[in-house]
C-alpha cells in the first residue's frame, strides 16, 4: 500500500510525547495527520518531573493539571530539593510574589506517570482523527532540502506535503538524513532507574548528590509519580559506568550501591528484591537548522536537554506547538518561508543550549560549584532557568524581534556562565589537582 500526497496533509514520525502533541495540534488546526510510531509503548518512558511551564502546555493538549491529578496519573510538584551526602539540603521553589498580579504564576507543577500520560495523549489524538500507523520509517526520499516520501519497514511508501520528525534523541532521522550540524554538551551519560512502592507519599522532586572535590557531578532523582510510587534514577557519565562495570559490578550492583550512599534511599531496598532497573544512555545536544522547506524536527530529535533541568517535556511540547502552528499557517503555500525556518531553528537552539550550558557549567562541572557551594550553585542555575522559561511562555517570542531579543538574552546568560566558570577554574587554588569525570 502506498499513500499519495493528497491522503494526508502531514506525516509525523514518532508517537512519543513530541510527535503525539504535534499530531493533536495539527489535527485541531484542521489538517489530516498520519503519525507513524515504530514501537508499542514500552513502559520505559522517562521525563517525569515537569518544569513550571509544562502544565499550560499539557492543558492545551486537553489534559489540565486537575484532570491528571484526579485520574491518579500525576502528583503535584511544588519544589525541588537538593540533598547532599553530608545531610545538608536546599529547597528551590518559585517565590510567592509570582502568584500575585501582574504575574499570576501557578506555583505548582506536576510529576507524571509517563506511561499513562502517553496512553491519554494517544486517545486524544485518535479522538481528533489522527491516524496512527504502527510501523518504522526506514528510508527518507529527499529532493534537495525537501522531503518527498518516507519508506517504512513494512514496505509502505508515504507521501505528504508536510513532515515532522519526532523520532527522539536516538533515531534523529531528519538530522541524520540532512547531516544537520550539531553542538554537544558534557560527556555521554547513562541513567539507571526503577520504581518503588513507598508507604507514604513524598512531596517534590528530590535530587541526591555527592560532590567530591574536582569531580564531575553524578546524582540520583527521586520523583513521586503516584501517591505511593516513586521513580528513582541514578545518572552518571558513560565513562564512570564503564569503569564500574570493568571492576566487575553489574548494573544492579551499581544502582543499589549508588542509591545506598543516601540513608533515605537505603530503605527502598528492604521491600523490593530483586530489582531489574531500566538503563538508557544519552548525550545532550542541539542540532542547528532543524527545519526545511516542508519539514520540521521537534522534541529530542531536535535537541536533548539534560534531565536535571526538568525541561525536556516542556521543550518537546513547545516545539510541537510552534511546528504545528507554522505548518497550519503556511499550509496553502506548501512551503515554509526561509525566515520562519530560521527563526524556529534559532529558538530551539538558543533555549536548549541555554539550559545545557547552564547545567553543565553551574552544576555538573566543579569550578563554580566548588567556589560558591553546591546548594548556592543550585540557586544560580534555577533562578535564571525558571525566569527564562516563564518569560518564554509569557512573551511567546515567535517573530523576528522577539526571537532575536530572546536569543540575545539567552546568549548573554550562556556566556556569563562560561566566563564565571572559567574565572572560578582559573582562580581555584591548585588547578593541577583536577581529575577526570570518572567518580
Ligand atoms: C534519563 C532521562 C530522564 C529524563 N527526565 C526528565 C524529566 O524529569 N523531566 C523532563 O521534562 N524531561 C526529562 N527527560 C527528557 C524527556 O524524557 C524527553 O525530552 C521527552 O520524552 C522527549 O520526547 P520525544 O517525543 O521527543 O522523544 P521520544 O519519547 O524518544 O519519542 C520518540 C518516538 O519516536 C519513535 N521512533 C523512533 N524512530 C522511529 C522510526 N524510525 N519510525 C517510527 N517511529 C520511530 C520511538 O519509538 C519513540 O516512541 C529525561 C530524559 C532522560 C533520557
Amino acid at each position: 500500500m502506498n499513500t499519495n500526497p493528497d491522503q494526508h496533509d502531514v506525516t509525523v514520525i514518532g508517537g512519543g510525547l513530541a510527535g503525539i502533541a504535534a499530531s493533536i495540534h495539527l489535527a485541531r488546526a484542521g489538517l489530516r495527520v498520519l503519525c507513524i510510531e515504530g514501537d508499542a509503548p514500552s513502559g520505559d518512558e522517562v521525563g517525569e518531573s515537569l518544569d513550571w511551564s509544562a502544565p499550560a502546555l499539557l492543558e492545551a493538549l486537553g489534559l489540565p493539571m486537575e484532570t491528571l491529578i484526579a485520574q491518579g496519573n500525576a502528583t503535584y510538584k511544588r519544589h525541588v530539593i537538593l540533598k547532599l551526602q553530608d545531610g545538608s539540603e536546599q529547597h528551590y521553589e518559585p517565590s510567592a510574589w509570582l502568584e500575585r498580579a501582574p504575574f499570576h504564576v501557578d506555583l505548582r507543577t506536576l510529576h507524571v506517570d509517563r506511561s499513562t500520560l502517553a496512553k491519554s495523549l494517544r486517545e486524544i489524538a485518535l479522538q481528533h482523527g489522527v491516524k496512527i500507523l504502527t510501523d518504522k520509517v526506514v528510508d527518507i526520499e529527499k529532493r534537495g532540502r525537501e522531503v518527498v516520501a518516507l519508506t517504512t519497514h513494512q514496505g509502505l511508501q508515504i507521501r505528504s506535503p508536510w513532515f515532522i520528525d519526532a523520532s527522539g534523541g536516538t533515531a534523529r532521522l531528519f538530522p541524520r538524513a540532512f547531516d544537520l550540524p550539531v553542538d554537544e554538551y558534557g560527556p555521554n551519560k547513562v541513567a539507571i532507574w526503577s520504581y518503588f512502592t513507598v508507604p507514604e507519599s513524598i512531596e517534590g522532586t528530590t535530587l541526591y548528590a555527592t560532590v567530591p572535590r574536582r569531580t564531575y557531578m553524578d546524582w540520583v532523582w527521586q520523583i513521586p509519580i503516584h501517591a505511593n510510587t516513586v521513580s528513582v534514577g541514578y545518572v552518571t557519565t558513560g565513562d564512570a559506568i564503564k569503569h564500574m562495570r570493568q571492576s566487575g559490578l553489574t548494573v544492579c550492583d551499581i544502582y543499589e550501591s549508588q542509591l545506598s550512599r543516601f540513608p533515605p534511599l537505603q530503605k527502598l531496598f528492604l521491600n523490593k528484591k530483586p530489582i531489574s532497573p531500566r538503563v538508557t544512555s544519552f548525550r545532550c545536544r542541539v542540532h542547528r537548522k532543524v527545519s526545511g522547506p516542508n519539514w520540521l524536527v521537534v522534541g529530542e530529535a531536535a535537541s536533548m536537554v539534560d534531565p536535571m533541568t526538568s525541561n525536556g517535556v516542556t521543550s518537546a511540547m513547545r516545539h510541537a506547538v510552534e511546528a504545528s502552528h507554522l505548518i497550519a499557517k503556511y499550509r496553502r503555500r506548501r512551503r515554509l518561508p526561509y525566515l520562519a525556518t530560521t527563526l524556529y531553528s534559532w529558538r530551539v537552539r538558543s533555549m536548549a543550549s541555554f539550559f545545557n550550558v547552564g547545567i553543565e557549567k553551574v552544576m555538573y562541572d566543579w569550578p563554580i560549584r566548588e567556589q560558591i557551594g553546591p546548594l548556592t550553585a543550585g540557586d544560580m542555575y534555577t533562578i535564571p532557568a525558571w525566569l527564562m522559561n516563564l518569560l518564554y511562555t509569557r512573551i511567546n517570542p515567535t517573530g523576528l524581534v522577539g526571537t532575536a531579543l530572546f536569543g540575545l538574552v539567552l546568549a548573554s546568560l550562556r556566556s556569563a556562565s562560561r566566563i564565571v566558570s572559567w574565572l572560578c577554574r582559573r582562580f581555584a587554588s591548585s588547578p593541577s589537582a583536577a581529575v577526570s569525570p570518572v567518580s
Side-chain angles (χ1 to χ4, degrees), residues 81-136:
I81 308 147
L82 175 59
K83 293 191 181 198
L84 303 181
Q85 207 176 9
D86 64 10
S88 57
E89 63 180 61
Q90 176 103 328
H91 292 220
Y92 306 95
E93 52 195 317
S95 307
W97 55 265
L98 281 169
E99 206 171 18
R100 297 192 286 270
F103 307 103
H104 300 294
V105 174
D106 195 329
L107 302 185
R108 303 164 307 173
T109 178
L110 294 171
H111 308 105
V112 285
D113 178 330
R114 285 294 301 270
S115 304
T116 52
L117 178 68
K119 278 187 203 129
S120 303
L121 288 172
R122 198 181 153 97
E123 273 165 31
I124 294 172
L126 291 169
Q127 283 160 14
H128 281 82
V130 173
K131 293 211 171 85
I132 300 182
L133 172 69
T134 307
D135 202 346
K136 200 166 181 139

Side-chain angles (χ1 to χ4, degrees), residues 87-199:
S88 57
E89 63 180 61
Q90 176 103 328
H91 292 220
Y92 306 95
E93 52 195 317
S95 307
W97 55 265
L98 281 169
E99 206 171 18
R100 297 192 286 270
F103 307 103
H104 300 294
V105 174
D106 195 329
L107 302 185
R108 303 164 307 173
T109 178
L110 294 171
H111 308 105
V112 285
D113 178 330
R114 285 294 301 270
S115 304
T116 52
L117 178 68
K119 278 187 203 129
S120 303
L121 288 172
R122 198 181 153 97
E123 273 165 31
I124 294 172
L126 291 169
Q127 283 160 14
H128 281 82
V130 173
K131 293 211 171 85
I132 300 182
L133 172 69
T134 307
D135 202 346
K136 200 166 181 139
V137 173
V138 290
D139 193 35
I140 298 158
E141 189 187 325
K142 301 176 286 179
R143 192 188 308 121
R145 293 276 299 168
E146 228 173 281
V147 174
V148 178
L150 307 173
T151 307
T152 71
H153 182 67
Q154 292 169 23
L156 303 181
Q157 214 191 33
I158 313 240
R159 291 172 183 275
S160 60
W162 298 99
F163 295 88
I164 286 190
D165 176 14
S167 60
T170 309
R172 295 183 285 133
L173 294 182
F174 287 7
R176 286 181 207 272
F178 288 99
D179 203 12
L180 301 182
V182 64
D183 297 323
E184 295 185 316
Y185 305 85
N188 283 320
K189 290 178 189 148
V190 174
I192 310 175
W193 77 101
S194 189
Y195 297 91
F196 297 86
T197 304
V198 288

Side-chain angles (χ1 to χ4, degrees), residues 33-47:
V33 185
L34 174 70
C35 176
I36 311 173
E37 169 50 46
D39 294 317
S42 62
D44 284 354
E45 295 84 359
V46 270

Side-chain angles (χ1 to χ4, degrees), residues 7-77:
Q7 238 171 303
H8 309 106
D9 299 306
V10 192
T11 308
V12 178
I13 313 172
L17 179 68
I20 285 289
S23 301
I24 295 171
H25 289 305
L26 289 162
R28 282 210 184 125
L31 288 124
R32 294 160 306 161
V33 185
L34 174 70
C35 176
I36 311 173
E37 169 50 46
D39 294 317
S42 62
D44 284 354
E45 295 84 359
V46 270
E48 295 150 332
S49 176
L50 306 193
D51 165 77
W52 273 258
S53 302
L57 292 159
L58 280 171
E59 186 165 353
L61 292 168
L63 289 174
M65 274 210 272
E66 292 66 25
T67 307
L68 286 161
I69 295 280
Q71 290 170 345
N73 294 336
T75 65
Y76 281 121
K77 166 179 164 185

